[in-house]
Amino acid sequence: MWGALLRRGGRGAGGLRRLVSGGPPWSQVVSEAEKIVGYPTSFMSLRCLLSDELSNIAMQVRKLVGTKHPLLDTARQRSLAEITELIHTAFLVHRGIVNIGELKSCDGPLKDMQFGNKMAVLSGDFLLANACTSLAQLQNTKVVELISSAIGDLVQGIYYENSKSPEESCLTDDISISTWKEQVFLSHSALLAKSCQAAMELAKHSAEIQDMAFQYGKHMSMSHKLHSDLQPFVKESSSDTMAFSLNSAPAVLHQEFLGREAWIKQIREAQGRGNIMDYKKLQEAIKAGKGVTSAIDLCRCHGNSALAALESFPPSEARAALANIVYAVTRFP
């Protein structure tokens, strides 16, 4: 997508509009982006990757190694995108590891759960190893440094997420929204932001353009996380109550407005026997405060910052698609 952004001419959107309510749905945005880049955005589409046509293209691109043909740079952008998704998938697999100490008899036989954990570790490591091998093949020291640092950020972010003991799991952390932002950047935003910057480095663009790509990736992913955190509170059907993290953005902002002691009191009041949380009761308490509206405002603030970064790029279909991604993750009922 980033390669297309700087290669394509003046078709598409002119100035970018600032965020208001509304915008295209996510599925439509992804479909339009796939048309621009010319292939499904997920490398997991095996039918695409294993097709004869793609294999033939790969063979022809391989002949370009050692030349200065621009098609080679295009292939390396795509390779970087697949590396990024490999890393993301590897960490998702690793996050699927369950805490054996918290298992109940209804969860299944212990040996099966232990085997599942082993498979999750090995599968995640396999994907990560393949990503690192492909990363080295890009033969760009700065790109390797950027993506390697993003992997380090992910590890640190996941460590923060899992640093609480099981006894503390029923309570929320005493964190501010600024601390929440720092942790979310590590665990969610760093990989995308640094991958966007690395794409511009591979395309041999200036440090200023690289920074704008970084800013887009950072702020768009922050908006995406805020949008995800808000879903339990903004869904139109009130009957669909889902469990949510007590350290999600609306809850953290609610705590800031309410005060730590009052927030803990609300949590205790929502806990039943056996520390089973009544999420419906707690959800209503959060919705009655300022946390939800503040989180929506913050989501759109990051969205506007992402759109501002896109202003540095020439109008094109690719820029319009990237803007539509922002509109989709800042869209609420």
Short mmCIF file of all heavy atoms in Angstrom, two decimals, residues 232-238 250 254 280-293:
data_model
loop_
_atom_site.label_atom_id
_atom_site.label_comp_id
_atom_site.label_asym_id
_atom_site.label_seq_id
_atom_site.Cartn_x
_atom_site.Cartn_y
_atom_site.Cartn_z
N PRO A 232 -17.63 -2.96 23.66
CA PRO A 232 -18.62 -3.40 24.66
C PRO A 232 -19.53 -2.28 25.16
O PRO A 232 -20.58 -2.56 25.73
CB PRO A 232 -17.72 -3.92 25.81
CG PRO A 232 -16.41 -4.22 25.18
CD PRO A 232 -16.24 -3.20 24.11
N PHE A 233 -19.12 -1.02 24.93
CA PHE A 233 -19.87 0.11 25.48
C PHE A 233 -20.71 0.86 24.45
O PHE A 233 -21.56 1.67 24.81
CB PHE A 233 -18.90 1.10 26.14
CG PHE A 233 -18.03 0.47 27.19
CD1 PHE A 233 -16.77 0.01 26.87
CD2 PHE A 233 -18.48 0.31 28.49
CE1 PHE A 233 -15.95 -0.58 27.84
CE2 PHE A 233 -17.69 -0.27 29.46
CZ PHE A 233 -16.42 -0.73 29.14
N VAL A 234 -20.47 0.60 23.16
CA VAL A 234 -21.16 1.38 22.13
C VAL A 234 -22.04 0.53 21.22
O VAL A 234 -22.70 1.07 20.33
CB VAL A 234 -20.15 2.17 21.26
CG1 VAL A 234 -19.37 3.15 22.10
CG2 VAL A 234 -19.21 1.23 20.51
N LYS A 235 -22.05 -0.78 21.42
CA LYS A 235 -22.90 -1.63 20.59
C LYS A 235 -24.35 -1.26 20.80
O LYS A 235 -24.79 -1.02 21.93
CB LYS A 235 -22.67 -3.10 20.93
CG LYS A 235 -21.33 -3.62 20.43
CD LYS A 235 -21.43 -5.07 20.04
CE LYS A 235 -20.20 -5.50 19.27
NZ LYS A 235 -20.37 -6.80 18.65
N GLU A 236 -25.10 -1.22 19.70
CA GLU A 236 -26.48 -0.76 19.76
C GLU A 236 -27.38 -1.70 20.57
O GLU A 236 -28.30 -1.27 21.25
CB GLU A 236 -27.03 -0.61 18.34
CG GLU A 236 -26.34 0.51 17.56
CD GLU A 236 -26.87 0.63 16.15
OE1 GLU A 236 -27.54 -0.32 15.71
OE2 GLU A 236 -26.63 1.66 15.51
N SER A 237 -27.11 -3.01 20.52
CA SER A 237 -27.94 -3.97 21.25
C SER A 237 -27.46 -4.07 22.68
O SER A 237 -26.37 -4.55 22.96
CB SER A 237 -27.85 -5.35 20.57
OG SER A 237 -28.57 -6.30 21.33
N SER A 238 -28.28 -3.57 23.61
CA SER A 238 -27.90 -3.57 25.02
C SER A 238 -27.92 -4.98 25.61
O SER A 238 -27.39 -5.20 26.70
CB SER A 238 -28.86 -2.68 25.82
OG SER A 238 -30.19 -3.12 25.66
N PRO A 250 -11.86 2.93 28.05
CA PRO A 250 -13.00 3.55 28.75
C PRO A 250 -12.92 3.38 30.26
O PRO A 250 -13.26 4.29 31.02
CB PRO A 250 -14.20 2.81 28.16
CG PRO A 250 -13.75 2.32 26.83
CD PRO A 250 -12.31 1.97 27.04
N HIS A 254 -12.53 6.31 32.90
CA HIS A 254 -13.57 6.36 33.94
C HIS A 254 -12.93 6.45 35.32
O HIS A 254 -13.37 7.24 36.17
CB HIS A 254 -14.44 5.10 33.83
CG HIS A 254 -15.50 5.01 34.87
ND1 HIS A 254 -16.62 5.82 34.88
CD2 HIS A 254 -15.62 4.20 35.97
CE1 HIS A 254 -17.38 5.51 35.92
NE2 HIS A 254 -16.81 4.53 36.60
N LYS A 280 -22.26 -6.68 33.30
CA LYS A 280 -23.39 -5.82 32.93
C LYS A 280 -23.50 -4.64 33.89
O LYS A 280 -23.67 -3.48 33.49
CB LYS A 280 -24.68 -6.65 32.94
CG LYS A 280 -25.95 -5.84 32.64
CD LYS A 280 -25.98 -5.35 31.21
CE LYS A 280 -27.29 -4.69 30.89
NZ LYS A 280 -27.34 -4.16 29.52
N LYS A 281 -23.38 -4.92 35.18
CA LYS A 281 -23.49 -3.89 36.20
C LYS A 281 -22.33 -2.90 36.09
O LYS A 281 -22.54 -1.67 36.17
CB LYS A 281 -23.50 -4.53 37.59
CG LYS A 281 -23.73 -3.55 38.73
CD LYS A 281 -23.85 -4.30 40.05
CE LYS A 281 -24.15 -3.33 41.19
NZ LYS A 281 -24.32 -4.05 42.49
N LEU A 282 -21.13 -3.43 35.88
CA LEU A 282 -19.97 -2.56 35.77
C LEU A 282 -20.01 -1.74 34.48
O LEU A 282 -19.61 -0.57 34.44
CB LEU A 282 -18.68 -3.39 35.82
CG LEU A 282 -17.39 -2.64 36.10
CD1 LEU A 282 -17.46 -1.88 37.42
CD2 LEU A 282 -16.21 -3.61 36.13
N GLN A 283 -20.52 -2.36 33.42
CA GLN A 283 -20.65 -1.66 32.14
C GLN A 283 -21.56 -0.45 32.27
O GLN A 283 -21.26 0.63 31.77
CB GLN A 283 -21.20 -2.62 31.09
CG GLN A 283 -21.35 -2.01 29.70
CD GLN A 283 -22.13 -2.92 28.77
OE1 GLN A 283 -23.29 -3.22 29.01
NE2 GLN A 283 -21.47 -3.38 27.72
N GLU A 284 -22.67 -0.64 32.94
CA GLU A 284 -23.62 0.46 33.13
C GLU A 284 -23.00 1.59 33.95
O GLU A 284 -23.26 2.77 33.69
CB GLU A 284 -24.90 -0.05 33.80
CG GLU A 284 -25.72 -0.99 32.93
CD GLU A 284 -26.12 -0.34 31.62
OE1 GLU A 284 -26.45 0.86 31.61
OE2 GLU A 284 -26.10 -1.04 30.58
N ALA A 285 -22.19 1.23 34.95
CA ALA A 285 -21.53 2.25 35.78
C ALA A 285 -20.55 3.07 34.95
O ALA A 285 -20.48 4.30 35.08
CB ALA A 285 -20.80 1.57 36.94
N ILE A 286 -19.81 2.41 34.06
CA ILE A 286 -18.85 3.12 33.21
C ILE A 286 -19.57 3.99 32.18
O ILE A 286 -19.18 5.13 31.94
CB ILE A 286 -17.91 2.11 32.51
CG1 ILE A 286 -17.03 1.40 33.55
CG2 ILE A 286 -17.02 2.82 31.48
CD1 ILE A 286 -16.18 0.28 32.99
N LYS A 287 -20.65 3.46 31.60
CA LYS A 287 -21.41 4.22 30.60
C LYS A 287 -22.07 5.46 31.20
O LYS A 287 -22.30 6.45 30.51
CB LYS A 287 -22.46 3.32 29.95
CG LYS A 287 -21.88 2.26 29.03
CD LYS A 287 -22.92 1.26 28.58
CE LYS A 287 -23.90 1.84 27.60
NZ LYS A 287 -24.81 0.81 27.04
N ALA A 288 -22.35 5.39 32.51
CA ALA A 288 -22.97 6.54 33.18
C ALA A 288 -21.98 7.67 33.45
O ALA A 288 -22.37 8.80 33.73
CB ALA A 288 -23.61 6.10 34.50
N GLY A 289 -20.68 7.36 33.36
CA GLY A 289 -19.65 8.37 33.59
C GLY A 289 -19.16 8.99 32.29
O GLY A 289 -19.83 8.92 31.25
N LYS A 290 -17.97 9.56 32.34
CA LYS A 290 -17.40 10.26 31.18
C LYS A 290 -16.38 9.44 30.40
O LYS A 290 -15.84 9.90 29.40
CB LYS A 290 -16.73 11.56 31.65
CG LYS A 290 -17.66 12.54 32.34
CD LYS A 290 -16.90 13.78 32.78
CE LYS A 290 -17.79 14.78 33.51
NZ LYS A 290 -17.03 15.97 33.98
N GLY A 291 -16.11 8.21 30.87
CA GLY A 291 -15.05 7.41 30.25
C GLY A 291 -15.30 7.06 28.80
O GLY A 291 -14.38 7.11 27.98
N VAL A 292 -16.54 6.71 28.46
CA VAL A 292 -16.85 6.27 27.09
C VAL A 292 -16.73 7.43 26.10
O VAL A 292 -16.08 7.31 25.06
CB VAL A 292 -18.25 5.65 27.03
CG1 VAL A 292 -18.63 5.33 25.58
CG2 VAL A 292 -18.31 4.38 27.88
N THR A 293 -17.37 8.56 26.42
CA THR A 293 -17.30 9.71 25.50
C THR A 293 -15.86 10.22 25.37
O THR A 293 -15.45 10.64 24.27
CB THR A 293 -18.21 10.84 25.99
OG1 THR A 293 -17.87 11.19 27.35
CG2 THR A 293 -19.67 10.43 25.93
#
